[in-house]
Amino acid sequence: MSSVPGCFNCAVPFLNVQIWMSRHLHGHPSVVKFMGSKYGWHACETLHFFGLSLLVGTIGVFDMRVLGLAKRIPIAPLHRLAPWAVGGYILNVITGFMFLMAFPNQYLYQWPFWFKIAFMLLAGTNALIFNLAVMRKVELLGPGADAPLVAKIMCGASLCLWIGVIFAGRFLAFYKPVFTLPPP
């Protein structure tokens, strides 16, 4: 942890990365203009929430089925909803970058932002491993069948990680950095 110039007893992790990101992510003028407009921020928040609903709604139902809830539903049809989850994820990445480009210092110096990024990376890695290594076994299960233990563990982790993303994202609204660097 490095000391922050001009801030007595302040320290932040990844200071050099945060300064670099602050200088290079300060957005494209059209993004900053849109986000600063009367309805830009609100439209972006609405789309971000919609993407989150698609993502967590479809993944949550699938994960809960693998964990044993609603066993009468076959797993394969639920997996066909995955493109909706991917669409929600892409929408959230785009709107998230718009928030970040408009006000990078509002996010880069907050611990919830870094937790959200970490949870997203872990959830994405978990999903990739699940789809490459476990999905073939799970997809063949019919109604009433129990999923293998490894699938249940991975789906339980998935639910916890996506809930972590949601909590960290909500905390972003309530924690403000002690200091911010001026935009470039």
Side-chain angles (χ1 to χ4, degrees), residues 6 14 55 134 150 183-184:
F14 323 117
L55 172 66
V134 181
V150 68

Coordinates of all heavy atoms in Angstrom, one line a residue, residues 6 14 55 134 150 183-184:
G6 N -0.6 14.3 -0.5 CA -1.5 15.3 -0.1 C -2.6 14.8 0.8 O -3.5 15.5 1.1
F14 N -3.1 -0.7 -4.7 CA -3.0 -0.5 -6.2 C -3.0 0.9 -6.6 O -3.5 1.3 -7.6 CB -4.2 -1.2 -6.9 CG -4.6 -2.5 -6.4 CD1 -5.9 -2.6 -5.9 CD2 -3.8 -3.6 -6.3 CE1 -6.4 -3.9 -5.4 CE2 -4.2 -4.8 -5.8 CZ -5.5 -4.9 -5.3
L55 N -29.3 -11.4 -16.1 CA -28.1 -12.3 -15.7 C -28.4 -13.1 -14.5 O -28.3 -14.3 -14.5 CB -26.9 -11.4 -15.5 CG -25.7 -12.0 -14.9 CD1 -25.1 -13.0 -15.9 CD2 -24.6 -10.9 -14.5
V134 N -18.2 -29.6 -16.4 CA -19.3 -30.2 -15.6 C -20.6 -30.3 -16.4 O -21.4 -31.2 -16.2 CB -19.5 -29.5 -14.3 CG1 -20.6 -30.1 -13.5 CG2 -18.2 -29.5 -13.5
V150 N -20.1 -32.1 -7.4 CA -19.2 -31.0 -7.9 C -20.1 -29.9 -8.6 O -19.8 -28.7 -8.5 CB -18.1 -31.5 -8.9 CG1 -18.7 -32.1 -10.2 CG2 -17.1 -30.5 -9.2
P183 N -9.7 14.9 -12.7 CA -9.6 14.3 -14.1 C -8.5 14.8 -14.9 O -8.1 16.0 -14.7 CB -11.0 14.7 -14.7 CG -11.8 15.2 -13.6 CD -10.9 15.6 -12.5
P184 N -8.0 14.0 -15.8 CA -6.9 14.5 -16.7 C -7.2 15.7 -17.5 O -8.3 16.0 -17.8 CB -6.5 13.3 -17.5 CG -7.7 12.4 -17.5 CD -8.5 12.7 -16.2

